[in-house]
């Protein structure tokens, strides 16, 4: 069955992590979307819940411990937009920073805590990130 994973959409999760009124954006160090700022996150593994996957991916990519607040919608990355790197359905969550400082793994090469209202200004970001940030900030009461 493993060969089917390349033909169907893959499920991914990401987190808009808030700390002291700022949101964390990270820059991807490899394709797809190399050099683009986005939320940290990654693929959901078979048998893993969405929240388990999110907690694991955030810990692996950034070293942070988070508290998940809620789902802020969905995004799709279609093959035409990922340069053929796959078809992903991405579920972004709003989350609160709980512990640790950012320690990036090799998938990421920059991290910035930014004001949600101006986070995307002057940065190359994933499609629709500004809207996702607004929705997440509203969920957090910001």
């Amino acid at each position: 069955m493993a060969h089917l994973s390349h033909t169907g959409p893959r499920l991914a999760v990401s987190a808009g992590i808030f700390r002291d009124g700022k949101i964390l954006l990270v820059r991807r160090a490899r394709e797809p979307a190399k050099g683009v700022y986005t939320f940290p996150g990654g693929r959901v593994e078979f048998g893993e819940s969405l929240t388990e996957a999110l907690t694991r991916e955030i810990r692996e990519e950034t070293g942070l411990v988070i508290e998940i607040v809620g789902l802020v919608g969905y995004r799709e990355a279609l093959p035409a937009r990922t340069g053929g790197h796959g078809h992903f359905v991405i579920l972004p969550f709003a989350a609160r920073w709980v512990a640790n400082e950012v320690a990036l793994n090799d998938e990421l090469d920059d991290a910035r805590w930014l004001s949600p209202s101006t986070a995307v200004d002057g940065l190359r970001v994933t499609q629709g990130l500004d809207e996702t940030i607004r929705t997440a900030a509203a969920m957090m009461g910001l």
Side-chain angles (χ1 to χ4, degrees), residues 32-139:
K34 179 174 167 29
V36 175
Y37 284 87
T38 190
F39 291 164
R43 295 178 187 179
V44 179
E45 303 297 344
F46 183 81
E48 197 174 38
S49 74
L50 296 176
T51 56
E52 287 168 349
L54 186 60
T55 302
R56 175 186 56 76
E57 282 286 348
I58 297 305
R59 188 178 62 245
E60 288 174 4
E61 288 195 351
T62 69
L64 298 179
V65 178
I66 60 167
E67 176 191 351
I68 298 166
V69 176
L71 184 64
V72 295
Y74 74 94
R75 287 275 167 258
E76 291 182 287
L78 302 172
R81 285 197 231 130
T82 63
H85 286 278
H87 176 183
F88 291 93
V89 176
I90 304 144
L91 300 176
F93 288 80
R96 250 182 227 102
W97 172 87
V98 173
N100 300 343
E101 297 303 323
V102 174
L104 299 178
N105 72 359
D106 61 2
E107 294 176 39
L108 305 170
D109 62 11
D110 190 29
R112 301 182 187 188
W113 292 99
L114 300 164
S115 165
S117 59
T118 57
V120 303
D121 293 0
L123 297 180
R124 281 180 63 211
V125 297
T126 46
Q127 185 173 20
L129 189 67
D130 51 346
E131 182 186 339
T132 305
I133 290 171
R134 278 197 303 274
T135 306
M139 184 177 283

